Amino acid sequence: YPANMREGLPMLQNYIIAAEISNQYQDRPNYSIKYVDGNQVMRGYLIAYEGVRDGEPIVYVEDLATDPVARMAGGRLIEGFIKNYQKHCISQGRFLPIFMQAREETTYAIIKKRFERFAEKLGIKFDVEELETRQRGNSTMHDLLVTPRTK
């Protein structure tokens, strides 16, 4: 994992706790999840929340990180997020766009596949638009806007 993207464990734990407290305080649904392996060791997390962009409601995927030894964690986290999104948005008729940053070497490669798979199950379509691409250290980052719509 790129050294310029690693977070210290205490800072990470505080960040996750703060996100949960903020969601509860602001009465927002919880989209954030963690991935735990068979030994009950946390191997990844995804932090997401509802916010506002350009005056419109949106779901932000703030951070997605996995332990490189947990090969399935990234896909499982994206699937878990989409299930939470379906519960808090689609099932309530709220088709909020999703903003996320994806690292080319990892998340970017699986985003479209996972959203396409779940779109079929949910009976909707996800349009994935790339807003910007930039370098962050040795990694290429993609700003993505994922917009759900009925078929």
Side-chain angles (χ1 to χ4, degrees), residues 5 102-106 108 130 133-142:
M5 294 188 172
R103 189 160 61 101
E104 186 166 307
E105 299 81 6
T106 55
Y108 185 71
E130 189 165 329
T133 302
R134 67 187 169 292
Q135 287 298 122
R136 182 173 172 200
N138 295 330
S139 295
T140 302
M141 301 297 292
H142 301 269

Side-chain angles (χ1 to χ4, degrees), residues 25 31 43 49 54-56 63 80 86 100 112 115 117:
Y25 179 75
Y31 296 91
R43 297 291 183 182
Y49 59 90
D54 298 329
E56 298 294 325
D63 197 12
Q86 192 277 333
M100 63 191 320
K112 281 186 116 173
F115 275 98
R117 180 184 301 165

Side-chain angles (χ1 to χ4, degrees), residues 53 57-59 81 85 90 94-100 111 115-116 119 124-131 144-151:
R53 181 175 184 193
I58 192 167
V59 175
F81 165 76
Y85 178 81
I90 301 299
R94 300 181 331 129
F95 287 72
L96 301 185
I98 303 163
F99 177 82
M100 63 191 320
I111 291 291
F115 275 98
E116 286 172 5
I124 62 172
K125 181 164 177 38
F126 286 106
D127 294 326
V128 180
E129 177 185 358
E130 189 165 329
L131 303 177
L144 304 176
L145 185 65
V146 181
T147 307
R149 62 180 171 86
T150 55
K151 286 188 169 184

Side-chain angles (χ1 to χ4, degrees), residues 57 66 84 117 132 147:
T66 63
N84 285 346
R117 180 184 301 165
E132 183 179 347
T147 307

Side-chain angles (χ1 to χ4, degrees), residues 29-132:
N30 184 15
Y31 296 91
S32 301
I33 56 172
K34 64 182 177 181
Y35 176 78
V36 178
D37 69 12
N39 295 322
Q40 300 304 304
V41 175
M42 188 173 99
R43 297 291 183 182
Y45 65 88
L46 183 147
I47 296 175
Y49 59 90
E50 284 187 25
V52 176
R53 181 175 184 193
D54 298 329
E56 298 294 325
I58 192 167
V59 175
Y60 285 100
V61 176
E62 179 70 26
D63 197 12
L64 167 63
T66 63
D67 184 337
V69 302
R71 296 175 48 99
M72 302 293 287
R76 297 275 169 87
L77 287 166
I78 293 168
E79 288 177 10
F81 165 76
I82 294 171
K83 287 178 183 178
N84 285 346
Y85 178 81
Q86 192 277 333
K87 175 183 173 185
H88 297 301
C89 290
I90 301 299
S91 69
Q92 297 177 19
R94 300 181 331 129
F95 287 72
L96 301 185
I98 303 163
F99 177 82
M100 63 191 320
Q101 296 179 343
R103 189 160 61 101
E104 186 166 307
E105 299 81 6
T106 55
T107 314
Y108 185 71
I110 60 175
I111 291 291
K112 281 186 116 173
K113 291 178 191 172
R114 298 295 175 163
F115 275 98
E116 286 172 5
R117 180 184 301 165
F118 272 86
E120 289 299 317
K121 290 181 182 179
L122 300 173
I124 62 172
K125 181 164 177 38
F126 286 106
D127 294 326
V128 180
E129 177 185 358
E130 189 165 329
L131 303 177
E132 183 179 347

